[in-house]
Amino acid sequence: MIIGILTIPSDKTNTIKFKNSDSYITAYYVDKLKKYAEVQFIPYNTDNCEYYFKKINGLYFPGGRRNNNKKFLDTYTKLFNMAIKENDKGNYFPVFASCLGFQYLIKMVTDKPVLQKYDNSSDNKKRLSFHNTYGLKLDNYKHIKHFYNVIDTSVDKNSVEFVSGIKAHKYPFYGYVYTLKKDDDLFLLFINECKKNNRKNKKIKEIDTIILDNYSNAQSKFAYAYGFNLIL
């Protein structure tokens, strides 16, 4: 089983920067997924989305620093639409998105500014956490309800409730604002969904899995990340 994961454009600020790299993925996501499947990195600036899409059994849009990179948005949109078409053809194809990926999952179905920043919350019952994230105001759910159901809500430090988890009505598309803290429940959900995809894939070529730069950054929330200069 092969899972595709979209890279994030490298940050030009001093918060997250990578030597000789133009994009990155927080290693946390990669290391979690590798426990269950092969991982196919998809360059955010690729002009050949179909090449990567045909090779994978599911698609993961990870977290990362917010950006306004047009090429990233274009590639995200193309992959999202490919996943819809694949499911419409009767081929089960799951999509999972977290943090930044969650924000774009919403952006795919509405142009309205429905996201709002929420600060410093921890939900010990769910064993999930987030810091300074963008969630969906409950009042704004009406703008995406034609496509998504609400499957989870959270509360910020001011006890304000907001939408933190969504699932598409017709498709196996899931989005969450947060990152797992202590368990693998959400990753296992995604892995089990990917197993329902019947596409038989060849083993990933080594050149498609090479990590060109492993950059450690003390300021990074997740300790370290993989940086890339990826082949398009």
XYZ file of all heavy atoms in Angstrom, residues 22 50 122 130 141 153 168 206:
67
model
N 13.481 23.501 -1.224
C 12.402 24.412 -1.568
C 11.064 23.982 -1.001
O 10.071 24.677 -1.161
C 12.301 24.595 -3.089
C 12.053 23.287 -3.825
O 11.685 22.295 -3.170
O 12.205 23.267 -5.063
N -0.918 13.702 -12.203
C -1.461 12.389 -12.580
C -0.438 11.286 -12.386
O -0.777 10.159 -11.991
C -1.942 12.427 -14.032
C -2.692 11.174 -14.440
C -3.296 11.277 -15.830
O -3.162 12.342 -16.464
O -3.906 10.286 -16.273
N -6.104 22.123 24.749
C -5.704 20.722 24.869
C -6.899 19.925 25.356
O -7.564 20.312 26.312
C -4.544 20.574 25.860
O -4.163 19.222 25.971
N -3.624 21.051 20.056
C -3.242 21.996 19.028
C -2.816 23.291 19.688
O -3.131 23.569 20.834
C -4.388 22.251 18.031
C -5.625 22.819 18.659
C -5.753 24.182 18.875
C -6.672 21.987 19.016
C -6.893 24.717 19.448
C -7.826 22.523 19.588
C -7.930 23.881 19.802
N -20.538 27.031 9.557
C -20.699 25.682 8.998
C -21.664 25.683 7.805
O -21.519 24.900 6.870
C -21.186 24.705 10.066
C -21.579 23.356 9.509
C -20.649 22.555 8.837
C -22.888 22.893 9.610
C -21.006 21.333 8.306
C -23.264 21.669 9.083
C -22.311 20.892 8.429
O -22.682 19.676 7.890
N -15.923 18.634 17.340
C -15.774 20.030 17.751
C -14.768 20.099 18.892
O -14.547 19.115 19.592
C -17.107 20.650 18.206
O -17.598 19.921 19.339
C -18.129 20.637 17.086
N -16.586 14.471 4.335
C -17.441 14.714 3.175
C -18.660 13.801 3.201
O -18.591 12.664 3.661
C -16.651 14.512 1.888
N 13.218 3.918 -5.916
C 14.049 4.548 -4.892
C 14.162 6.048 -5.095
O 14.132 6.819 -4.141
C 15.443 3.924 -4.887
C 16.355 4.494 -3.799
C 17.726 3.849 -3.811
O 17.964 2.976 -4.663
O 18.553 4.241 -2.978
